[in-house]
Amino acid sequence: MSATSLAEKWVDGTAGMTRPSNVVWCDGSKAEYDRLIEEMLRDGTLLPLNARTYPSCYLHRSHPSDVARTEQLTFICTRDKQDAGPTNNWMAPPEAKAKAGAYFDGAMRGRAMYVIPYLMGPAGSTMSRTGIMVTDSAYVVASMHIMARVGNVAMKAMRRDDDFIAGVHSLGDLSPDRRLILHFPEEKLIWSVGSGYGGNALLGKKCHALRLGSWQARQEGWLAEHMLIIGVEDPKGDVTYLAAAMPSASGKTNLAMAVASLPGWRVWTVGDDIAWIHVDSTGQLRAINPEKGFFGVAPNTSPKTNPNATAMVKSNTIFTNVALTPSGEPWWEGLTPQPPAGLVDWQGRPWRPGTPAAHPNSRFTVPVHQCPSVAPNWEEPQGVPISGFIFGSRRTKVIPLVFEAFDWTHGVFLGSAMSTETTAAITGQVGVVRRDPMAMLPFCGYNMADYFAHWLATGPRASNAPRIFRVNWFRKGEDGKFLWPGYGDNVRVLKWIVERIRGGGRAQETPIGWIPAADGLDTEGLGLSRAQVAEALRVDRGEWLQALADLGDFYDQFGSRLPQAIAATLADTRRKLGT
Ligand code: OXD
Ligand code: MN
């Protein structure tokens, strides 16, 4: 059977369930994108923005109850519940299919069903993978055009006739009561119904590239990670590539395109959200960005916090749930110090001060190549060589600004120990501390204990395993103010990391890892006192012991599946801290 015919057969079966009025195979062309935009401008799905200052930019307003990922409605549907593990919602595949099948039944009646063959990763890369998704949302098709490589390029990349992840998406009736995001890793299948929100509906992104991707990665011996990829260039012109895991809406896009505050230093952007990482035949870890666009959080993006993003969203961008100025420009909190007069809020109503103008999880969708800091080699099929991993989270307490793991196993432990304060990227309470190992809690498609084991096994396969670092830009002092300025000054931390990787960088040993020595960080011109830097880097034994007790409880749920090396490293750290 040819590749096309197996895909066609699956598409026919899906149409039999959803019963669209017609089926449209997408080719990924500009003409197709333009047609979709026209159609959405006509039916009000998109509003035009100021054609002079924001050419080819549009605003989409979503249903007010469909604005973020809904983790409580997201399931891993494996035959054996243990394979999904205790950190995932699980449903037995037959039950999941029966439930969602009822929502999908005839859901596309009167609408077109678009078939989108898409490639995650650069054309010509052995690391890239194909997906074929269907959807009844033109907004999803246009967004997929920006976020993935759509059309024949995807079909051509298939290695076998069944070498694709199949995804079914329908807006359904957009009711949260009839919304499910289901993953069937054993069948390479995704079913998503009842949401048009990017993280739930652009199936190439979280569903394929992370949840099913991580499952495939474990089987095939690679890593699918919630990580940005950057090249850090020093004043001599040498570039060191790093991959960094950070929870949603915690400054990942800002770091991915940071403008260095240090003369001669520069950050090159390869990706801002997902990294697929392989050990090559020489033992070098290499990463590709499987995506072709950014789906970034708008609020707080400004010429100060992220000048590159502010510049790149000035054309060919789809905005979702931002506010609108009287001159037809997008606006969000933080873009300018004062809100412009006459704002219309994200729901299309006159803005009332004291209420959000843009939704806190409002987004921009924009092609990667528009980023002024895009790395010249960002689409290199063999990927970029990774020399260091960074695990970063949002913690007002406990976690120092930066420290380095003693070795690979200790670094995996530090990643597994990550916790963070929640943000508006997920539906639910904002600002509560939750465990988020490697920033993968919502995205690991299998038992997280097995995921830790997979990480532990990957380092020794590398001829020169990357160094592992932990960062936290969000620590606050007694006065409730951030201890570190963040943004472009984070490059000062990257400088220390690069120095450490190259065998330099002054550091002192502590029970939790290597911390920059008093003069280790380049703080010249920052105006920070020595005491403030010391406070940002301080290891508080009491806070740590409490945090490690909580970590122990988290690990307990994995039972005997938790790798022994992780349990041993926890015990070792406790002992060093003086219990
Ligand atoms: C994202 C997320 O959209 O992590 O990248 O929620
Ligand atoms: Mn993300």
Side-chain angles (χ1 to χ4, degrees):
M1 197 180 283
S2 77
T4 321
S5 67
L6 194 64
E8 275 173 355
K9 207 167 139 208
W10 173 76
V11 168
D12 284 351
T14 306
M17 171 170 75
T18 57
R19 278 168 281 155
S21 55
N22 58 316
V23 175
V24 182
W25 280 78
C26 298
D27 62 14
S29 65
K30 164 126 185 12
E32 180 174 85
Y33 182 80
D34 291 345
R35 262 197 318 275
L36 289 159
I37 298 288
E38 278 305 312
E39 192 182 301
M40 288 191 280
L41 287 169
R42 263 199 313 275
D43 72 12
T45 305
L46 292 183
L47 299 174
L49 292 174
N50 189 314
R52 197 174 49 78
T53 53
Y54 282 85
S56 302
C57 291
Y58 308 96
L59 167 62
H60 172 68
R61 292 193 184 119
S62 77
H63 190 280
S65 69
D66 187 28
V67 292
R69 283 185 290 101
T70 40
E71 292 181 2
Q72 72 284 10
L73 302 174
T74 301
F75 291 80
I76 303 296
C77 308
T78 43
R79 284 189 296 269
D80 180 350
K81 185 174 180 182
Q82 292 310 317
D83 289 338
T87 60
N88 279 311
N89 297 316
W90 174 85
M91 222 190 287
E95 185 195 343
K97 286 198 178 149
K99 236 179 165 164
Y103 308 158
F104 274 124
D105 188 19
M108 296 188 186
R109 222 176 257 138
R111 296 187 226 175
M113 180 173 95
Y114 301 96
V115 183
I116 314 172
Y118 63 88
L119 181 66
M120 299 310 288
S125 172
T126 53
M127 301 186 212
S128 298
R129 294 288 184 273
T130 294
I132 302 176
M133 74 168 284
V134 305
T135 181
D136 53 4
S137 160
Y139 165 81
V140 166
V141 185
S143 302
M144 284 295 288
H145 265 244
I146 297 175
M147 297 302 297
R149 294 153 179 94
V150 169
N152 207 23
V153 61
M155 303 302 276
K156 281 211 311 240
M158 283 164 56
R159 297 163 300 179
R160 298 175 306 276
D161 60 354
D162 67 343
D163 186 24
F164 64 96
I165 299 285
V168 189
H169 171 257
S170 170
L171 294 171
D173 60 11
L174 287 178
S175 146
D177 302 336
R178 292 162 59 81
R179 178 179 301 162
L180 284 170
I181 324 296
L182 306 173
H183 305 76
F184 304 91
E186 288 143 335
E187 299 172 60
K188 296 193 295 191
L189 179 67
I190 304 158
W191 276 16
S192 167
V193 62
S195 169
Y197 172 72
N200 295 331
L202 310 180
L203 301 188
K205 193 174 181 60
K206 303 302 190 182
C207 302
H208 176 162
L210 287 177
R211 299 198 188 95
L212 265 61
S214 61
W215 177 284
Q216 278 186 329
R218 175 167 171 251
Q219 285 185 327
E220 299 172 7
W222 47 284
L223 298 168
E225 299 302 323
H226 191 206
M227 289 183 171
L228 63 83
I229 310 165
I230 49 176
V232 183
E233 184 176 329
D234 70 11
K236 291 209 298 289
D238 290 333
V239 181
T240 304
Y241 293 93
L242 307 171
M246 290 174 183
S248 312
S250 297
K252 205 147 132 239
T253 301
N254 292 341
L255 183 65
M257 39 195 90
V259 175
S261 65
L262 290 173
W265 288 78
R266 181 161 190 169
V267 173
W268 294 103
T269 311
V270 179
D272 84 325
D273 195 40
I274 300 174
W276 281 357
I277 304 160
H278 293 239
V279 184
D280 77 8
S281 55
T282 69
Q284 171 67 52
L285 261 70
R286 292 190 168 271
I288 58 163
N289 172 9
E291 301 189 283
K292 186 174 101 11
F294 303 117
F295 178 64
V297 178
N300 262 325
T301 304
S302 74
K304 179 173 169 283
T305 62
N306 194 335
N308 284 323
T310 319
M312 79 183 172
V313 300
K314 284 268 164 70
S315 61
N316 309 310
T317 301
I318 299 178
F319 293 92
T320 302
N321 293 337
V322 297
L324 188 62
T325 73
S327 58
E329 295 187 345
W331 192 85
W332 49 83
E333 278 75 3
L335 177 60
T336 54
Q338 294 303 323
L343 268 185
V344 170
D345 78 5
W346 65 280
Q347 296 187 72
R349 305 170 304 197
W351 174 62
R352 282 184 296 112
T355 64
H359 186 275
N361 192 36
S362 54
R363 298 275 178 154
F364 52 78
T365 310
V366 58
V368 168
H369 67 78
Q370 289 196 189
C371 181
S373 59
V374 69
N377 55 346
W378 80 277
E379 290 190 285
E380 199 84 64
Q382 72 269 29
V384 296
I386 296 296
S387 306
F389 285 115
I390 299 174
F391 293 115
S393 72
R394 181 186 280 274
R395 291 300 311 268
T396 44
K397 289 187 160 152
V398 192
I399 309 297
L401 174 64
V402 59
F403 57 104
E404 184 189 350
F406 296 121
D407 55 27
W408 181 265
T409 299
H410 184 238
V412 175
F413 162 75
L414 291 179
S416 80
M418 219 158 70
S419 57
T420 196
E421 286 149 35
T422 52
T423 67
I426 49 166
T427 299
Q429 221 185 327
V430 168
V432 296
V433 176
R434 71 164 185 180
R435 306 234 63 98
D436 193 355
M438 276 108 163
M440 281 289 278
L441 180 81
F443 306 122
C444 183
Y446 61 101
N447 191 312
M448 209 143 211
D450 300 346
Y451 170 74
F452 299 155
H454 183 48
W455 259 87
L456 289 168
T458 299
R461 285 176 50 216
S463 48
N464 191 8
R467 303 277 198 100
I468 300 182
F469 301 83
R470 179 77 169 86
V471 303
N472 174 29
W473 320 135
F474 301 92
R475 196 175 193 183
K476 291 184 176 171
E478 296 275 286
D479 57 2
K481 295 209 179 101
F482 288 115
L483 287 162
W484 180 251
Y487 304 111
D489 287 315
N490 292 336
V491 176
R492 296 167 187 271
V493 174
L494 297 182
K495 179 183 174 190
W496 183 78
I497 288 174
V498 168
E499 287 167 353
R500 292 293 295 165
I501 289 169
R502 303 236 184 102
R506 285 180 296 282
Q508 68 191 63
E509 191 172 348
T510 76
I512 62 165
W514 293 98
I515 303 254
D519 57 351
L521 276 184
D522 182 345
T523 54
E524 202 185 318
L526 262 190
L528 290 186
S529 68
R530 248 183 132 80
Q532 194 170 347
V533 177
E535 183 59 17
L537 293 170
R538 187 171 61 89
V539 180
D540 185 306
R541 281 171 193 262
E543 281 182 357
W544 268 87
L545 284 169
Q546 202 177 340
L548 293 180
D550 180 71
L551 178 63
D553 294 344
F554 172 71
Y555 285 160
D556 280 349
Q557 66 186 319
F558 299 107
S560 60
R561 227 153 152 154
L562 185 77
Q564 168 56 25
I566 296 287
T569 309
L570 171 62
D572 197 40
T573 310
R574 279 176 145 157
R575 201 179 51 250
K576 284 185 182 157
L577 282 160
T579 40

